[in-house]
Amino acid sequence: MRILFTGGSGKAGRHVVAYLLEQGHRVLNVDRVPLDLAGVDNRIADITDAGQMYDVMHSLAGLDELEPGTGVPSFDAVVHFAAVPRILITSDNECYRVNTMGTYNVIDAAVKSGIRKVIFASSETTYGVCFADGERKPEYLPIDEDHPTTPEDSYALSKVCNEVTARGFQARFGVDIYGLRINNVIEPHEYAQDFPGYMADPGVRRRNIFAYIDARDLGQMVECCLHTDGLGYEVFNVSNDDHSVGLSSAELIERYYQGVPVKGEIGAAETFYANAKAKRMLGYQPAHSWRDVLG
Ligand SMILES: NC(=O)c1ccc[n+]([C@@H]2O[C@H](COP(=O)([O-])OP(=O)(O)OC[C@H]3O[C@@H](n4cnc5c(N)ncnc54)[C@H](O)[C@@H]3O)[C@@H](O)[C@H]2O)c1
């Protein structure tokens, strides 16, 4: 497929772009800074500028595409990751502005350019636990996509707003728009670097509901979305199968989630950030775990 990818130069995007290239896709990266990766062309552009987003949707993905002499081909899909990726980087209102206007502009330009598939990065923070003032427990475990999304912070609010925006464009244009409620993204080198600390002090993972998502498995998730057509608007939790700490589910519940209702059976090492919907509807099957590195 010919894919326009926003935010491909970032922490998550560069792994997902690499994964998509390995699957044989053509990728044009749209970002404020270039990604230095063989096989990827960059277009420096700002997602908050609607004109620039309309332009890039009709862009060549590289000089080689001039050769056939048949004009600019269409993109088959847009994957939208560009954002201010958490609170406390910019001012709160700037985070909200960039993320909401940027996402509106990207989806608007994509669907009005006839692109029939948009995949966008939402976030675990929509459930309100991650950036709560003090401790906020989930309303139930495991957290699935039906859990209320009532956050207090500007970043998570921007992601909830983006989900509403995406749902509206899907209703108006009838295209496929899938939102990914991504958990904490872990790059391969971060297992050896950070996870021993998580074993020693599991409480540092409470705000992530003790979950994580390997950056390569996030790539697989995007690939699953590219291959699955006809779902309309859907959101999916994206996580790995196990906790990011060495405690069992029973130990975590005893220590951190007393009084929180538990729905169904949870395996001893099974994530509290349910990925069953992605498995069922998309065939997602995460392949990595910190246990492969740390034993
Ligand atoms: N990293 C995580 O743990 C995590 C978890 C949940 C969701 N997400 C979401 O995943 C996406 C990627 O996150 P990340 O961790 O790779 O963030 P990142 O900051 O590393 O990458 C974001 C990229 O977007 C680009 N960008 C920012 N503003 C832009 C603008 N106005 N115009 C064009 N490009 C712009 C940046 O240059 C950067 O390359 C984001 O939407 C983020 O909210 C990330």
Side-chain angles (χ1 to χ4, degrees):
M1 295 171 80
R2 195 171 175 274
I3 297 164
L4 185 143
F5 198 110
T6 77
S9 309
K11 174 180 181 172
R14 57 179 172 259
H15 293 278
V16 176
V17 168
Y19 188 95
L20 297 179
L21 289 183
E22 282 169 23
Q23 311 311 307
H25 300 295
R26 177 83 193 242
V27 179
L28 174 64
N29 178 40
V30 174
D31 201 303
R32 283 191 308 202
V33 294
L35 171 66
D36 185 13
L37 183 63
V40 178
D41 253 57
N42 294 285
R43 201 67 73 251
I44 302 303
D46 187 335
I47 58 169
T48 67
D49 184 317
Q52 291 185 41
M53 288 307 102
Y54 271 89
D55 179 80
V56 296
M57 295 298 163
H58 302 274
S59 179
L60 295 168
L63 286 170
D64 59 298
E65 288 189 337
L66 287 170
E67 288 309 320
T70 48
V72 181
S74 300
F75 286 105
D76 299 302
V78 169
V79 183
H80 170 46
F81 272 35
V84 177
R86 63 170 170 82
I87 53 170
L88 307 184
I89 296 176
T90 61
S91 66
D92 286 347
N93 44 12
E94 179 67 359
C95 172
Y96 190 83
R97 183 187 74 85
V98 170
N99 291 358
T100 56
M101 278 316 302
T103 298
Y104 183 95
N105 291 340
V106 169
I107 299 177
D108 181 54
V111 298
K112 289 179 182 171
S113 300
I115 298 168
R116 305 289 301 170
K117 169 80 58 83
V118 180
I119 300 156
F120 70 100
S122 185
S123 167
E124 59 162 319
T125 60
T126 53
Y127 296 116
V129 172
C130 190
F131 296 134
D133 185 13
E135 180 176 4
R136 199 207 280 194
K137 291 181 180 175
E139 296 197 10
Y140 60 84
L141 289 174
I143 289 186
D144 59 16
E145 291 83 352
D146 294 329
H147 188 284
T149 50
T150 51
E152 307 162 10
D153 63 283
S154 73
Y155 169 77
L157 284 168
S158 78
K159 294 296 188 179
V160 173
C161 177
N162 289 346
E163 291 185 358
V164 175
T165 299
R167 183 186 281 269
F169 273 110
Q170 193 284 326
R172 177 61 59 92
F173 289 88
V175 297
D176 284 338
I177 308 186
Y178 306 158
L180 309 185
R181 290 183 182 158
I182 300 166
N183 201 282
N184 180 217
V185 175
I186 304 296
E187 297 181 83
H189 74 274
E190 291 182 308
Y191 291 117
Q193 175 184 292
D194 296 333
F195 275 54
Y198 303 162
M199 303 302 133
D201 183 9
V204 298
R205 301 296 296 170
R206 182 181 57 76
R207 287 181 182 273
N208 303 106
I209 314 142
F210 301 97
Y212 69 111
I213 173 67
D214 182 285
R216 298 159 294 185
D217 284 327
L218 179 56
Q220 186 209 127
M221 178 67 184
V222 171
E223 177 71 6
C224 288
C225 291
L226 290 170
H227 278 174
T228 308
D229 294 333
L231 300 181
Y233 174 76
E234 291 290 345
V235 290
F236 298 97
N237 285 354
V238 194
S239 65
N240 283 79
D241 283 337
D242 53 353
H243 303 300
S244 60
V245 296
L247 299 178
S248 71
S249 298
E251 289 167 326
L252 287 169
I253 289 169
E254 168 71 18
R255 207 182 280 190
Y256 301 102
Y257 294 133
Q258 284 193 19
V260 176
V262 176
K263 291 187 176 179
E265 292 287 311
I266 302 182
E270 186 181 338
T271 183
F272 290 150
Y273 196 76
N275 57 22
K277 182 178 176 184
K279 289 179 170 174
R280 187 177 70 251
M281 295 184 72
L282 302 170
Y284 169 64
Q285 202 54 249
H288 299 281
S289 166
W290 61 268
R291 290 173 164 83
D292 303 335
V293 179
L294 300 185

